[in-house]
Amino acid sequence: MSDSSASQVLASPHPSDAPRTSFTALFVLILAGGLAYAGYELLTDLADVRQASTFAYVLLGIALLIALGFEFVNGFHDTANAVATVIYTHTL
């Protein structure tokens, strides 16, 4: 590669960050819309409840934490199994 072609490659403009910014804005907008919809539906469902117990919400929170913890740990196990298969078969 000659010096002139190397300088042309180095002098080429960087790609714009506009696609990344617009994707991020679209993602945040969709996420906010989903959260707003879920909150609205939750409030309309809870409007029918005559007497809300704090204990029920505590149990719900504990159940969600257990489920999320299980999914987190299960991801580690799945990753280990996938890597072990690749190592054992010498495919990589």
Side-chain angles (χ1 to χ4, degrees):
M1 186 186 302
S2 67
D3 290 333
S4 63
S5 63
S7 64
Q8 289 175 352
V9 170
L10 294 176
S12 65
H14 293 0
S16 173
D17 286 340
R20 185 183 313 175
T21 305
S22 60
F23 175 77
T24 303
L26 179 64
F27 175 75
V28 169
L29 183 66
I30 291 172
L31 184 65
L35 288 174
Y37 175 75
Y40 172 75
E41 289 297 323
L42 181 63
L43 289 176
T44 56
D45 287 344
L46 290 177
D48 297 336
V49 177
R50 301 282 187 260
Q51 180 181 7
S53 171
T54 306
F55 184 66
Y57 291 112
V58 170
L59 287 179
L60 177 63
I62 291 171
L64 288 174
L65 285 175
I66 289 172
L68 291 174
F70 172 78
E71 289 297 325
F72 185 73
V73 172
N74 191 32
F76 286 136
H77 294 161
D78 290 343
T79 304
N81 289 336
V83 171
T85 302
V86 170
I87 291 171
Y88 179 74
T89 58
H90 303 287
T91 56
L92 241 167

